[in-house]
Amino acid sequence: MYNDPPYFLLVAGLLVSLTSGAAFDAVLKQSVRDWQKNRSTRSLANLRGMQLLVPFLGIAAGVCLFLSSGVEIFGFPTKLAYAISIPLTLFIGWLVWLQLGKILVQLERGGSKALDLDPWG
Protein backbone atom coordinates (compact mmCIF):
# COMPACT_ATOMS: atom_id res chain seq x y z
CA MET A 1 0.00 0.00 0.00
CA TYR A 2 1.41 3.36 -1.03
CA ASN A 3 0.74 6.47 1.00
CA ASP A 4 0.80 9.84 -0.67
CA PRO A 5 3.34 12.32 0.68
CA PRO A 6 1.77 14.71 3.22
CA TYR A 7 1.78 17.84 1.06
CA PHE A 8 -1.35 19.11 2.82
CA LEU A 9 0.33 18.83 6.23
CA LEU A 10 3.40 20.60 4.86
CA VAL A 11 1.31 23.58 3.76
CA ALA A 12 -0.80 23.46 6.94
CA GLY A 13 2.33 23.55 9.12
CA LEU A 14 3.65 26.51 7.18
CA LEU A 15 0.35 28.40 7.50
CA VAL A 16 0.09 27.64 11.23
CA SER A 17 3.62 28.95 11.75
CA LEU A 18 2.98 32.11 9.73
CA THR A 19 -0.30 32.99 11.42
CA SER A 20 1.09 32.25 14.88
CA GLY A 21 4.16 34.32 14.00
CA ALA A 22 1.94 37.28 13.09
CA ALA A 23 0.13 36.96 16.42
CA PHE A 24 3.45 36.63 18.27
CA ASP A 25 4.76 39.76 16.53
CA ALA A 26 1.64 41.77 17.40
CA VAL A 27 1.61 40.69 21.06
CA LEU A 28 5.34 41.33 21.52
CA LYS A 29 5.20 44.80 19.94
CA GLN A 30 2.13 45.78 21.96
CA SER A 31 3.69 44.53 25.20
CA VAL A 32 6.90 46.49 24.59
CA ARG A 33 4.90 49.63 23.68
CA ASP A 34 2.83 49.33 26.85
CA TRP A 35 5.96 48.83 28.93
CA GLN A 36 7.62 51.85 27.28
CA LYS A 37 4.65 54.12 28.01
CA ASN A 38 4.20 53.08 31.62
CA ARG A 39 7.74 52.01 32.59
CA SER A 40 6.00 49.90 35.16
CA THR A 41 7.77 47.96 37.86
CA ARG A 42 7.07 44.84 35.85
CA SER A 43 10.19 44.01 33.88
CA LEU A 44 10.22 43.28 30.18
CA ALA A 45 11.49 39.77 30.81
CA ASN A 46 8.28 39.09 32.74
CA LEU A 47 6.23 39.99 29.67
CA ARG A 48 6.90 36.47 28.45
CA GLY A 49 3.63 35.23 29.89
CA MET A 50 0.78 33.21 28.44
CA GLN A 51 -0.09 35.93 25.92
CA LEU A 52 3.31 35.47 24.30
CA LEU A 53 3.75 31.77 25.03
CA VAL A 54 0.61 30.61 23.20
CA PRO A 55 1.57 32.09 19.80
CA PHE A 56 5.16 30.90 20.33
CA LEU A 57 3.92 27.36 20.89
CA GLY A 58 1.80 27.73 17.76
CA ILE A 59 4.91 28.65 15.80
CA ALA A 60 6.74 25.65 17.24
CA ALA A 61 3.86 23.27 16.46
CA GLY A 62 3.64 24.53 12.89
CA VAL A 63 7.40 24.22 12.42
CA CYS A 64 7.34 20.68 13.82
CA LEU A 65 4.53 19.70 11.44
CA PHE A 66 6.32 21.36 8.53
CA LEU A 67 9.61 19.63 9.32
CA SER A 68 8.11 16.20 9.81
CA SER A 69 6.06 16.49 6.62
CA GLY A 70 9.14 17.60 4.72
CA VAL A 71 11.09 14.60 5.97
CA GLU A 72 8.19 12.29 5.06
CA ILE A 73 8.13 13.69 1.53
CA PHE A 74 11.65 12.34 1.10
CA GLY A 75 10.39 8.84 1.86
CA PHE A 76 11.06 8.47 5.58
CA PRO A 77 8.46 6.70 7.74
CA THR A 78 6.11 8.89 9.78
CA LYS A 79 7.45 7.78 13.16
CA LEU A 80 11.03 8.51 12.16
CA ALA A 81 10.04 11.88 10.71
CA TYR A 82 8.44 12.92 14.01
CA ALA A 83 11.34 11.40 15.97
CA ILE A 84 13.60 13.81 14.09
CA SER A 85 11.39 16.90 14.05
CA ILE A 86 10.06 16.93 17.63
CA PRO A 87 13.44 17.02 19.45
CA LEU A 88 14.82 19.45 16.88
CA THR A 89 11.84 21.79 17.28
CA LEU A 90 11.92 21.57 21.09
CA PHE A 91 15.64 22.33 21.24
CA ILE A 92 15.54 25.25 18.81
CA GLY A 93 12.35 26.61 20.42
CA TRP A 94 13.99 26.49 23.85
CA LEU A 95 17.05 28.34 22.52
CA VAL A 96 14.90 31.02 20.88
CA TRP A 97 12.81 31.48 24.05
CA LEU A 98 15.99 31.91 26.14
CA GLN A 99 17.40 34.41 23.63
CA LEU A 100 14.14 36.38 23.69
CA GLY A 101 14.46 36.71 27.46
CA LYS A 102 18.04 37.94 27.15
CA ILE A 103 17.09 40.48 24.50
CA LEU A 104 14.20 41.80 26.59
CA VAL A 105 16.50 42.22 29.60
CA GLN A 106 19.05 44.01 27.41
CA LEU A 107 16.33 46.25 26.00
CA GLU A 108 15.12 47.08 29.49
CA ARG A 109 18.59 48.04 30.71
CA GLY A 110 19.76 50.11 27.77
CA GLY A 111 16.77 50.91 25.63
CA SER A 112 16.72 50.28 21.92
CA LYS A 113 20.29 51.59 21.57
CA ALA A 114 21.43 48.54 23.55
CA LEU A 115 20.36 46.39 20.60
CA ASP A 116 22.95 47.65 18.14
CA LEU A 117 22.20 45.30 15.27
CA ASP A 118 24.42 47.07 12.74
CA PRO A 119 27.70 47.93 14.45
CA TRP A 120 29.53 48.78 11.19
CA GLY A 121 26.82 51.00 9.68
Side-chain angles (χ1 to χ4, degrees):
M1 182 173 145
Y2 176 72
N3 291 332
D4 290 330
Y7 294 116
F8 173 77
L9 292 178
L10 183 83
V11 173
L14 181 63
L15 291 176
V16 166
S17 293
L18 290 175
T19 55
S20 296
F24 181 82
D25 177 56
V27 169
L28 184 60
K29 284 181 180 177
Q30 186 61 42
S31 297
V32 170
R33 269 190 235 118
D34 290 346
W35 175 83
Q36 251 181 341
K37 285 181 186 176
N38 300 334
R39 295 285 182 176
S40 65
T41 57
R42 191 173 148 200
S43 69
L44 269 176
N46 291 338
L47 294 178
R48 296 183 310 163
M50 286 304 290
Q51 282 184 322
L52 206 56
L53 183 61
V54 171
F56 185 79
L57 292 176
I59 294 169
V63 166
C64 185
L65 187 60
F66 180 82
L67 286 175
S68 65
S69 299
V71 170
E72 281 185 72
I73 286 173
F74 286 106
F76 288 88
T78 302
K79 288 182 180 180
L80 180 60
Y82 280 101
I84 293 169
S85 65
I86 289 173
L88 187 63
T89 303
L90 288 174
F91 179 66
I92 292 172
W94 175 68
L95 290 176
V96 169
W97 191 254
L98 287 178
Q99 188 63 33
L100 175 65
K102 290 178 183 179
I103 288 173
L104 288 175
V105 167
Q106 191 176 11
L107 183 64
E108 184 178 8
R109 289 183 183 158
S112 60
K113 291 179 183 177
L115 300 176
D116 187 14
L117 299 177
D118 190 17
W120 298 289

